[in-house]
Amino acid sequence: MSYLEISELRKSYGEGMGKVSVLNGIDMSVEKGEMCTVLGQSGSGKSTLLNIIGGLDSPDSGKIVIDGIDIAELSIGKLAEYRRNYLGFVFQFYNLVPNLTVAENIQVGEYLSDEPLDMKEMLSVLGLEELKNRFPQELSGGQQQRCSIGRALIKNPKLLLCDEPTGALDFNTSKDILALIEKINSEYNTTILMVTHNETISEMTHKT
């Protein structure tokens, strides 16, 4: 069995005439250490899929097995453990805490892990050493996204989920962020699942 195995995953919202099917029997698999892209237009259910894998939403039916654990069967408490022990999230709009510095925002993730990565190494990998005492409003969009990635990555997650990680960035900054994600995949063998509407991004991953 693959590291991440999804079968017959279905999700809809609403009832009766207003019911909208978002995921219709999704099947997919990702091997450990792979970087995989889920490609689709806005409104196609990509973020819903990511939220279900991340334990933030529940499916109507189907199986989501990660490292042998069927997360659709987990209790609320066990889901919280799963998110803490397995996952790192990177969002399109960063979601940084405005009154915390770069280093402090990254430490938020560090505190959630029993085996965090080294903070100094993380700041170096992210190119944020000289910015560690700045606040989010003092950073460019690309720098904020680097900080967001650091917060997710310092947990040393087994699975990194990225929801349109370059969607709010310009072309050149997007290239830098994608190169950083590739570096993370290579250096830490982190399994990465990215959802995007950008076909160019899918060309740099192992699987789409």
Side-chain angles (χ1 to χ4, degrees):
M1 179 176 282
S2 301
Y3 181 72
L4 167 61
E5 194 85 36
I6 294 174
S7 55
E8 282 297 307
L9 192 67
R10 298 180 184 276
K11 179 68 177 180
S12 60
Y13 295 101
E15 297 180 359
M17 296 293 290
K19 186 174 181 178
V20 177
S21 293
V22 181
L23 302 176
N24 297 301
I26 299 294
D27 296 300
M28 65 177 291
S29 62
V30 180
E31 302 299 331
K32 189 167 181 60
E34 269 190 333
M35 185 160 60
C36 178
T37 307
V38 177
L39 186 65
Q41 296 301 313
S42 296
S44 60
K46 305 185 305 298
S47 292
T48 298
L49 175 63
L50 212 64
N51 287 339
I52 290 174
I53 294 170
L56 301 175
D57 202 351
S58 56
D60 295 337
S61 61
K63 294 178 76 70
I64 314 104
V65 180
I66 296 178
D67 203 14
I69 301 169
D70 185 350
I71 66 169
E73 302 295 325
L74 296 180
S75 65
I76 292 174
K78 290 293 185 182
L79 267 177
E81 281 184 28
Y82 158 73
R83 287 193 295 268
R84 186 178 68 244
N85 296 333
Y86 276 79
L87 298 181
F89 271 98
V90 178
F91 301 97
Q92 178 176 350
F93 294 109
Y94 325 133
N95 292 352
L96 300 175
V97 182
N99 61 339
L100 297 183
T101 65
V102 165
E104 290 166 342
N105 264 286
I106 294 174
Q107 282 174 328
V108 170
E110 184 180 23
Y111 296 147
L112 296 174
S113 176
D114 293 331
E115 298 179 350
L117 299 175
D118 180 73
M119 169 64 83
K120 188 173 181 180
E121 177 190 355
M122 185 58 42
L123 288 168
S124 176
V125 167
L126 296 165
L128 292 173
E129 287 174 300
E130 296 182 1
L131 303 174
K132 64 181 180 181
N133 294 320
R134 291 195 187 179
F135 292 94
Q137 64 269 25
E138 299 175 304
L139 305 176
S140 69
Q143 290 165 343
Q144 289 186 60
Q145 189 60 293
R146 285 174 180 270
C147 184
S148 172
I149 291 169
R151 180 183 55 193
L153 191 64
I154 199 164
K155 287 176 61 180
N156 198 14
K158 297 177 176 66
L159 178 62
L160 187 64
L161 302 176
C162 304
D163 191 358
E164 296 278 9
T166 63
L169 304 174
D170 62 50
F171 177 74
N172 287 328
T173 306
S174 295
K175 285 200 302 182
D176 291 342
I177 291 298
L178 293 172
L180 175 62
I181 292 173
E182 276 190 308
K183 183 178 180 182
I184 288 165
N185 173 252
S186 175
E187 288 195 11
Y188 299 110
N189 197 38
T190 306
T191 308
I192 298 174
L193 185 61
M194 268 193 296
V195 302
T196 182
H197 64 276
N198 189 334
E199 292 187 16
T200 304
I201 293 177
S202 67
E203 294 170 4
M204 57 170 271
T205 58
H206 299 121
K207 182 187 294 184
T208 301

